[in-house]
Amino acid sequence: MDAKRLQATTLLIKRLHADYPTKGFKISPSIDFVTQSNSGLSIVAKQRIKKDDILIVIPEAARLTAKTVLPSSFLKKLKRDIANKSQFQEHQQMLNPSDYSLAVAMMKVLGRNAKNNNDFHVCMSQTWPSEETMKDTSWFFWDVASVQKVWNRSGMFNIFEELRANVDSTFDNIIYPILRNNPDEYIDESLPSNQGAAATLKDKLYNTFRYSLALLYSRAHECYDDDEPSGELVPIVDLFNGHSDKIDEAIKKGKTNEKSVINVNIVSGKWPFIRGSMFRNDFNLPCSAVYANRDIDEGEELIISYGDLSPAGFAFKYGFIPMDFIKHHNIMSDVSIFCDPKLIPDDKMRRRCLERSGFHWTSSNATRSWL
């Protein structure tokens, strides 16, 4: 499956070159797209990259937003219906009306898969992870009872349970009533979950809706349309893996590590970009750019910022916690999970903190664990 995504990425780059041959699109020969067993598709340095080198420039016109895909009257009604649901106010920091609008736009793109392979956004959608991959990493697919066994009745589980109920309610009361008149336009028939003979039109719409939400939740960037907060998917840029800003916090408060894990930044501006975040406005052509925020060694993976996420937030958004995040010196989390003995910290202060929080250390020649 990663090989298919790699091939689709190559085709998408060719398409961008064809659509924007002289201005608006740029990709550095210093980067490469590879598949890795532990992280799927990754972007790495093909050769040494210097700080502030421009690596990718993408025109704003190529981004996927609800506004660029859905008719304006349809989008206005969709946003109004979603915003009027009072239940969306409590967890707006996790999901908001614009997320659902973008999900419907993605459904429309996925519905074109078998009908219009020449559509740019369809070409872009071929680079997205498969439904099977998302089932492993996205809470939209997780079984509630299984999650409770891992997280218990923690605050994290309560939010998970409420959000899942919110998603289902949104689909049943808003999304399905709007889309059921033209369901074929919003169904991705290629999804494995839509292959069964017993799947109804409603089932297929829901499966496509859930897959779209899972994708955007982990890949969309925040933007503004007409001064309103919205979400967007930026081609190529949405393929970068990332990390929490917390990973680069140094032991000394207020300082960051000299060699940061996050080694590239994303900025908005106009064509052409010069170095780093600097650009000239020669053509009034809005673009997004990715540049190196430090020197990057050959073979090093390019990592963007996922924001100031805690381990709990990272697990909830991306379905896993990186090992270097678990071992970080300045991490606090309410994640309630089984702790492999290999992960038990050796630092005395961290052990003391665990003991004060009710975790008791036991040790013998054969085993060691926290109770």
Side-chain angles (χ1 to χ4, degrees):
M1 188 58 68
D2 287 332
K4 285 184 65 177
R5 290 183 64 204
L6 195 59
Q7 183 181 23
T9 300
T10 301
L11 293 175
L12 181 60
I13 291 171
K14 288 182 179 178
R15 175 65 184 268
L16 284 163
H17 274 303
D19 290 353
Y20 304 93
T22 59
K23 54 183 181 289
F25 175 65
K26 174 183 178 179
I27 187 162
S28 169
S30 299
I31 67 173
D32 198 11
F33 299 82
V34 299
T35 57
Q36 299 181 9
S37 58
N38 61 335
S39 58
L41 188 62
S42 302
I43 304 177
V44 301
K46 192 186 297 184
Q47 58 194 46
R48 184 168 174 78
I49 297 170
K50 293 183 178 180
K51 181 180 179 181
D52 289 330
D53 279 359
I54 304 297
L55 305 177
I56 296 174
V57 181
I58 301 288
E60 187 179 287
R63 65 181 183 160
L64 194 163
T65 68
K67 192 174 180 179
T68 58
V69 174
L70 301 174
S72 58
S73 57
F74 176 91
L75 179 58
K76 186 180 292 186
K77 175 176 172 27
L78 180 64
K79 284 184 174 181
R80 184 177 64 247
D81 288 352
I82 294 172
N84 287 340
K85 297 285 288 182
S86 60
Q87 74 225 51
F88 292 102
Q89 304 307 311
E90 187 175 354
H91 294 304
Q92 276 201 344
Q93 73 279 12
M94 307 290 287
L95 285 171
N96 57 56
S98 67
D99 290 325
Y100 290 105
S101 301
L102 180 56
V104 174
M106 294 171 69
M107 291 173 70
K108 194 166 184 71
V109 171
L110 291 167
R112 298 171 183 164
N113 263 333
K115 305 161 191 167
N116 189 358
N117 288 330
N118 195 44
D119 182 278
F120 176 80
H121 289 136
V122 170
C123 185
M124 176 181 170
S125 73
Q126 302 300 310
T127 68
W128 298 340
S130 67
E131 184 185 37
E132 291 303 307
T133 298
M134 299 310 297
K135 282 183 177 180
D136 292 333
T137 59
S138 175
W139 62 266
F140 292 94
F141 291 94
W142 295 345
D143 175 69
V144 175
S146 298
V147 171
Q148 186 176 356
K149 289 180 182 178
V150 177
W151 286 346
N152 299 318
R153 294 298 309 189
S154 63
M156 193 170 173
F157 174 77
N158 291 336
I159 293 175
F160 163 77
E161 192 174 35
E162 289 176 30
L163 283 171
R164 280 290 294 271
N166 191 331
V167 168
D168 291 346
S169 175
T170 302
F171 177 80
D172 290 335
N173 298 313
I174 300 175
I175 306 299
Y176 178 65
I178 291 177
L179 302 187
R180 65 183 174 186
N181 293 327
N182 298 290
D184 291 342
E185 293 185 20
Y186 298 90
I187 291 175
D188 184 352
E189 294 284 359
S190 69
L191 295 180
S193 59
N194 285 340
Q195 300 301 305
T200 65
L201 282 177
K202 185 176 182 180
D203 293 334
K204 291 181 178 182
L205 279 170
Y206 179 77
N207 292 336
T208 310
F209 173 65
R210 180 172 57 175
Y211 174 56
S212 299
L213 270 180
L215 286 169
L216 76 87
Y217 192 66
S218 62
R219 311 179 79 75
H221 296 269
E222 187 175 294
C223 69
Y224 283 84
D225 275 329
D226 298 328
D227 295 326
E228 291 185 5
S230 186
E232 64 179 5
L233 289 172
V234 184
I236 307 300
V237 175
D238 69 0
L239 301 178
F240 280 91
N241 290 320
H243 215 311
S244 168
D245 290 339
K246 291 184 182 295
I247 197 64
D248 288 328
E249 293 177 2
I251 294 177
K252 189 173 182 180
K253 192 173 182 180
K255 300 291 185 180
T256 57
N257 295 322
E258 185 175 344
K259 187 173 182 179
S260 59
V261 174
I262 297 167
N263 51 22
V264 296
N265 291 343
I266 305 171
V267 291
S268 297
K270 301 287 182 73
W271 179 272
F273 275 83
I274 311 302
R275 284 188 62 76
S277 60
M278 295 186 297
F279 62 89
R280 293 197 314 265
N281 185 8
D282 291 355
F283 303 96
N284 192 28
L285 180 60
C287 297
S288 298
V290 178
Y291 70 91
N293 62 30
R294 63 166 174 82
D295 290 346
I296 301 173
D297 295 330
E298 180 182 347
E300 189 176 347
E301 183 176 3
L302 308 186
I303 301 293
I304 64 170
S305 167
Y306 280 164
D308 191 27
L309 291 174
S310 68
F314 201 105
F316 201 87
K317 196 168 181 69
Y318 300 105
F320 71 100
I321 304 176
M323 287 297 297
D324 57 353
F325 210 9
I326 295 174
K327 297 176 180 179
H328 196 261
H329 62 85
N330 189 27
I331 295 302
M332 296 178 64
S333 178
D334 68 348
V335 179
S336 177
I337 57 176
F338 166 74
C339 181
D340 190 306
K342 295 195 294 281
L343 303 180
I344 294 171
D346 296 320
D347 183 86
K348 291 182 180 179
M349 291 186 68
R350 294 192 70 184
R351 288 191 187 181
R352 194 177 305 148
C353 179
L354 286 168
E355 289 170 350
R356 288 178 179 176
S357 300
F359 296 92
H360 303 290
W361 168 260
T362 64
S363 180
S364 70
N365 292 333
T367 63
R368 55 178 188 165
S369 62
W370 288 94
L371 299 177

